[in-house]
Amino acid sequence: MARPQDPPRGFFPFGNPFKNLSSKNPVLTTKLLSLLTSFEVNLASSIRKLVPKEKSEVLTVSWMKQAMESLCETHNGIKTLITDLELPVSDWEDKWVDVYLDISVKLLDLCNAFSSELTRLNQGHLFLQFALHNLETNSPQNLSKAQSSLDSWKQHIVSKNPRMENCRAILSSLVQTLNLPKVKNSAKGKVLMRALYGVKVKTLYISGVFAAAFSGSSQNLLYLTVSNELPWAQSFMEMQNTMNAEIKNIFLSDGLTVVKELGAVDSGVKKLYPAIQQGSLDPISLQPLKDCVTELATGLDLVSKEVDCFFKILLSGRDTLLENLRSIGASTVLATSPKKAAGKNYRGF
């Protein structure tokens, strides 16, 4: 059962990270300013689409699917921006590389945790299928089997997933990385760091929502403060405030779970319990539960696919960066000591 936790706390004990992005130098050219503006306008638009129109949309698998799909688009967008900036890895400062690699591996850990929980929830679908099969026969013996399966499903859903226990620590460490490295002598680097800041804020908040939903703990829900100077700040704060207010209410309710579609299945099961216990069930009354089970299974499958897509995007970006670093390292060795390097195989990361 989801239990109310302490309200989410604000972060940034180290100050406002935007200060590191708003220095006057280096000056951005018209082209660079245009690239940054375009990226941030698209970021604002993507965040705005995630603002729930109705309270009933909060913590639904349909919203979660849309949110993860949006993250995939945003992370693909940052790849495109890096290409448009014509900023090869050889021009990256070491601290930029360190930040990217550190963040990416932690996001991959979160993806693994989310995938693990989605797999666990899908395994619970087997209990529901077996129960529905027995309920359709409407015999006293099979109704008893169905009730046993439904009880097993409830126990499975409320059980804890050890993979989710580390999410809080990972999220907290990612919050610390919002304080981006200072950029002194690279206009392109300044654009990249500012764009990455927006990507990280969006990614971190959505990851916190997923972690809260899957762990049943509001301690994983984040409240992030961003500078009003950012074009996407208003959209982000609207999304965050709308989501957090309703999520807090959901956690205060006495439900089996905070994910809406899981709760709908639980409600459907509760409505059938009296008839199951009496040993007689009207087949027509079974349809609402069947619909809820189908909607849940379809939704979880779609969310799983988007999480997998996000994982692949992160892994591809990380592998590309590491491969480029290996190439740079090999070129450096050959340039500084061609005779020595000729007889050895270079090993990078």
Side-chain angles (χ1 to χ4, degrees):
M1 180 182 298
R3 297 181 179 178
Q5 306 286 342
D6 294 332
R9 296 174 294 174
F11 286 93
F12 302 143
F14 41 75
N16 183 358
F18 186 70
K19 290 180 180 179
N20 289 340
L21 304 174
S22 57
S23 58
K24 296 181 180 179
N25 293 310
V27 178
L28 301 185
T29 64
T30 301
K31 178 183 177 181
L32 292 179
L33 186 59
S34 175
L35 288 173
L36 177 60
T37 300
S38 177
F39 180 85
E40 292 188 322
V41 167
N42 289 334
L43 180 62
S45 176
S46 70
I47 293 174
R48 200 176 302 117
K49 292 176 182 177
L50 295 178
V51 179
K53 296 181 176 62
E54 304 290 341
K55 291 181 179 180
S56 59
E57 297 177 12
V58 177
L59 288 190
T60 60
V61 290
S62 58
W63 184 91
M64 296 175 80
K65 181 259 183 185
Q66 182 186 2
M68 194 56 63
E69 185 178 35
S70 182
L71 283 186
C72 291
E73 293 174 356
T74 297
H75 281 256
N76 277 328
I78 199 69
K79 285 185 177 181
T80 301
L81 177 64
I82 292 173
T83 300
D84 292 341
L85 286 173
E86 299 176 350
L87 186 63
V89 175
S90 57
D91 291 345
W92 285 37
E93 295 182 17
D94 289 345
K95 55 188 176 183
W96 304 352
V97 175
D98 291 341
V99 166
Y100 184 91
L101 293 177
D102 180 59
I103 293 171
S104 63
V105 74
K106 289 174 180 175
L107 290 177
L108 288 172
D109 286 341
L110 287 176
C111 283
N112 283 328
F114 298 158
S115 293
S116 171
E117 179 62 10
L118 286 163
T119 298
R120 193 183 73 84
L121 293 176
N122 276 319
Q123 290 170 346
H125 185 65
L126 297 175
F127 291 116
L128 294 174
Q129 285 183 313
F130 188 70
L132 288 172
H133 172 73
N134 284 306
L135 288 172
E136 288 175 338
T137 63
N138 200 24
S139 69
Q141 182 180 3
N142 286 342
L143 289 180
S144 177
K145 292 180 180 179
Q147 182 172 345
S148 176
S149 295
L150 293 174
D151 290 340
S152 296
W153 175 76
K154 282 192 174 184
Q155 293 174 5
H156 180 77
I157 293 302
V158 299
S159 63
K160 298 296 182 182
N161 182 351
R163 296 292 297 274
M164 295 301 301
E165 293 179 0
N166 294 328
C167 287
R168 176 63 181 174
I170 296 173
L171 290 168
S172 295
S173 64
L174 283 171
V175 167
Q176 303 302 319
T177 68
L178 286 173
N179 192 14
L180 293 169
K182 293 182 179 180
V183 180
K184 297 180 179 180
N185 302 314
S186 172
K188 292 180 179 180
K190 180 180 178 181
V191 171
L192 176 61
M193 288 298 105
R194 174 157 159 164
L196 278 174
Y197 174 69
V199 174
K200 287 165 62 178
V201 169
K202 177 182 176 181
T203 304
L204 185 52
Y205 176 74
I206 291 175
S207 296
V209 172
F210 269 64
F214 287 154
S215 67
S217 172
S218 62
Q219 286 295 310
N220 287 316
L221 190 65
L222 303 178
Y223 183 86
L224 305 175
T225 305
V226 298
S227 169
N228 291 330
E229 297 177 47
L230 293 162
W232 47 268
Q234 182 177 352
S235 298
F236 175 77
M237 294 306 296
E238 182 182 3
M239 176 186 69
Q240 180 175 245
N241 292 338
T242 301
M243 291 290 295
N244 283 7
E246 182 57 22
I247 290 174
K248 286 169 63 179
N249 290 332
I250 294 173
F251 272 103
L252 290 171
S253 65
D254 192 26
L256 177 74
T257 174
V258 297
V259 178
K260 292 289 179 67
E261 286 81 356
L262 282 169
V265 172
D266 182 49
S267 296
V269 169
K270 288 179 179 178
K271 290 178 181 179
L272 294 179
Y273 257 26
I276 294 173
Q277 292 171 343
Q278 291 173 8
S280 179
L281 181 69
D282 182 358
I284 297 178
S285 65
L286 187 59
Q287 191 59 45
L289 177 59
K290 292 173 69 175
D291 292 341
C292 289
V293 170
T294 299
E295 183 180 3
L296 172 63
T298 302
L300 290 177
D301 183 57
L302 292 174
V303 175
S304 296
K305 289 179 179 178
E306 293 302 329
V307 171
D308 184 57
C309 176
F310 185 46
F311 181 91
K312 289 178 179 177
I313 290 172
L314 291 171
L315 193 60
S316 173
R318 183 180 175 84
D319 288 347
T320 299
L321 178 60
L322 290 174
E323 184 60 34
N324 286 333
L325 289 174
R326 291 188 185 99
S327 298
I328 294 169
S331 298
T332 301
V333 171
L334 289 171
T336 55
S337 184
K339 292 183 179 180
K340 183 177 181 180
K344 294 186 177 180
N345 293 324
Y346 172 75
R347 290 189 178 184
F349 282 72

